[in-house]
Amino acid sequence: MKILIIGGKGTIGKRISEHLTRKHQVLIGGRSAGDVIVDIADSRSIQAMFESVAGLDAVVCAAGEAKWAPFDSMTEDDFTIGLRSKLMGQVNLVRIGQHYLNAGGSFTLTTGILADHPVRLTTSAALVNGGIHSLVKAASLELKNGLRINAVSSGLVEDAVDKYADYFPGHNPIPMSKVINAYVRSVEGHGTGEIIRIYDNC
Amino acid sequence: MKILIIGGKGTIGKRISEHLTRKHQVLIGGRSAGDVIVDIADSRSIQAMFESVAGLDAVVCAAGEAKWAPFDSMTEDDFTIGLRSKLMGQVNLVRIGQHYLNAGGSFTLTTGILADHPVRLTTSAALVNGGIHSLVKAASLELKNGLRINAVSSGLVEDAVDKYADYFPGHNPIPMSKVINAYVRSVEGHGTGEIIRIYDNC
């Protein structure tokens, strides 16, 4: 397969890239570095990306941001960051990409445990993740040419424990091997409309 | 209690209003008519509303729109309609309203079955509803002064069957009495962070 991994140099993306490269042709998409330069917060950039990369069988998105802050100090603009980037960025990847992917191709989006089990400071990130979960289910009813769409929703991943553990009291870290397998299941499997949850104690 | 019902003249809103009026002081908020004029798609309008109505114990939102259309023809602007209205409209009601409601007050938002069980044409509406579900859980972890937040997520309501039945093949209509009770449970009960689902055969 020819697979594009957006955010392929990030914490999760680089692990997926390393793994999928063994069996597939992998292209990395990133904002500042990679085989293809793309900013998912800008739909024109996404459109240009699909015009420049032909014959994709799978798009994996491990990119997108959302602001973390106390809810009583969040501004409307703070929410807009997540809406433009991780939410509409991923929606636009599928919305535009459905017209470019090879028949039978797949989209694998990235959400996270906050959709189902948020912690403090994450109103925006939770909202974005939950929105993508429902979008995945809805889009799977309509995608044509055998295109598939799934989301991977992981708990706190092992490689991010140092940075985020304090925000997730009592959460069991998710081994990177399990995270990678979730993406493999979406890309190499045949399911669609699935939210592949990798949670431990919830 | 002093309760503001936004969208209080709509299909669901008018039933809730009729019921809650028996025991409470109810104000209706609407875009063009009501005790208070408010457009939830405009956060300045929401701010002005809270400035003009003092001493609220509960805000119920039964307003907000999202575009229904085939996913392969949805534009970015089509998604923006739902993001501005039903999604950020309801987020902004809580984001701004948390600084105005009486201690112990509650927010009751409206989503719908599409969050969990979408049908075709509803990528945007599903996304909006799913986003609100996660926001409700996340915000409930942070609201102060005993403020509560819940969402009511109903299947196809009896009063909307004539208009929407064709879009929901095989869905059992939800009796309006059950819909009303979901809102009563949120407003008069003591739960928070709850998604009150009223689904029948799913």
Side-chain angles (χ1 to χ4, degrees):
Chain A
M1 285 189 223
K2 186 172 177 181
I3 304 173
L4 172 65
I5 302 176
I6 298 171
K9 303 218 182 267
T11 306
I12 291 178
K14 71 183 174 198
R15 293 303 201 107
I16 313 168
S17 304
E18 285 163 11
H19 185 89
L20 291 176
T21 298
R22 299 177 198 166
K23 283 177 57 179
H24 305 283
Q25 180 190 353
V26 170
L27 297 175
I28 304 294
R31 264 191 300 195
S32 52
D35 304 302
V36 192
I37 301 299
V38 61
D39 176 4
I40 64 164
D42 176 358
S43 59
R44 290 164 304 183
S45 175
I46 293 173
Q47 179 87 45
M49 176 192 74
F50 281 116
E51 286 289 341
S52 74
V53 185
L56 289 173
D57 299 296
V59 173
V60 174
C61 183
E65 56 190 7
K67 172 115 177 198
W68 285 42
F71 184 52
D72 63 2
S73 70
M74 286 280 285
T75 65
E76 192 165 16
D77 287 345
D78 289 336
F79 275 94
T80 301
I81 296 167
L83 297 187
R84 288 192 55 206
S85 175
K86 194 172 182 183
L87 184 70
M88 283 307 295
Q90 296 200 92
V91 171
N92 283 330
L93 271 178
V94 185
R95 191 180 63 76
I96 296 168
Q98 68 184 319
H99 304 293
Y100 289 90
L101 253 62
N102 285 343
S106 68
F107 297 96
T108 305
L109 308 185
T110 297
T111 55
I113 193 170
L114 299 172
D116 299 307
H117 306 286
V119 296
R120 284 190 172 182
L121 310 185
T122 66
T123 46
S124 174
L127 176 156
V128 165
N129 289 343
I132 292 291
H133 284 187
S134 298
L135 180 281
V136 162
K137 293 182 188 179
S140 74
L141 305 176
E142 296 194 50
L143 286 173
K144 295 168 181 162
N145 302 317
L147 294 179
R148 299 182 298 109
I149 180 171
N150 300 297
V152 172
S153 184
S154 175
L156 176 63
V157 303
E158 223 169 34
D159 285 0
V161 165
D162 288 349
K163 195 169 170 193
Y164 288 108
D166 288 348
Y167 298 102
F168 291 90
H171 283 238
N172 294 325
I174 308 297
M176 298 314 291
S177 60
K178 290 197 176 187
V179 177
I180 291 167
N181 262 347
Y183 288 89
V184 170
R185 193 177 129 196
S186 175
V187 172
E188 298 183 5
H190 301 91
T192 190
E194 294 183 5
I195 313 306
I196 303 173
R197 291 176 165 88
I198 335 168
Y199 303 162
D200 191 324
N201 61 357
C202 49
Chain B
M1 284 189 223
K2 186 172 177 181
I3 303 172
L4 172 65
I5 302 176
I6 298 171
K9 304 220 181 267
T11 305
I12 291 178
K14 72 182 175 198
R15 294 300 201 110
I16 313 168
S17 304
E18 284 163 12
H19 185 90
L20 291 175
T21 299
R22 298 177 197 165
K23 284 176 59 179
H24 305 283
Q25 179 189 351
V26 170
L27 297 175
I28 304 294
R31 263 191 299 195
S32 52
D35 304 303
V36 192
I37 300 299
V38 62
D39 175 4
I40 63 164
D42 177 357
S43 59
R44 290 164 304 182
S45 175
I46 293 172
Q47 179 87 43
M49 175 192 75
F50 281 116
E51 286 290 340
S52 75
V53 185
L56 289 173
D57 299 295
V59 174
V60 174
C61 183
E65 56 191 7
K67 173 115 176 197
W68 285 41
F71 183 52
D72 63 2
S73 70
M74 287 280 285
T75 65
E76 191 164 17
D77 287 346
D78 289 337
F79 275 94
T80 301
I81 295 167
L83 297 187
R84 288 191 55 207
S85 175
K86 194 172 183 184
L87 184 70
M88 283 306 296
Q90 296 200 93
V91 170
N92 283 330
L93 271 177
V94 185
R95 191 180 63 77
I96 297 168
Q98 67 184 318
H99 303 293
Y100 289 89
L101 253 63
N102 285 342
S106 68
F107 297 96
T108 305
L109 308 185
T110 297
T111 55
I113 192 170
L114 298 173
D116 299 307
H117 306 286
V119 296
R120 284 190 171 182
L121 309 186
T122 65
T123 46
S124 174
L127 176 157
V128 165
N129 290 342
I132 293 290
H133 284 186
S134 297
L135 181 282
V136 162
K137 293 183 188 178
S140 74
L141 305 175
E142 297 194 49
L143 286 173
K144 294 168 181 163
N145 302 316
L147 294 180
R148 298 183 298 108
I149 180 170
N150 300 298
V152 172
S153 184
S154 174
L156 175 64
V157 304
E158 221 170 34
D159 285 1
V161 165
D162 288 349
K163 195 169 169 191
Y164 288 108
D166 288 348
Y167 299 103
F168 291 90
H171 282 238
N172 294 324
I174 308 297
M176 298 313 291
S177 60
K178 291 197 174 184
V179 178
I180 291 167
N181 262 348
Y183 289 89
V184 170
R185 193 178 128 195
S186 175
V187 172
E188 298 184 4
H190 302 90
T192 189
E194 293 183 6
I195 314 305
I196 303 174
R197 291 178 165 88
I198 336 167
Y199 303 162
D200 192 324
N201 60 356
C202 47

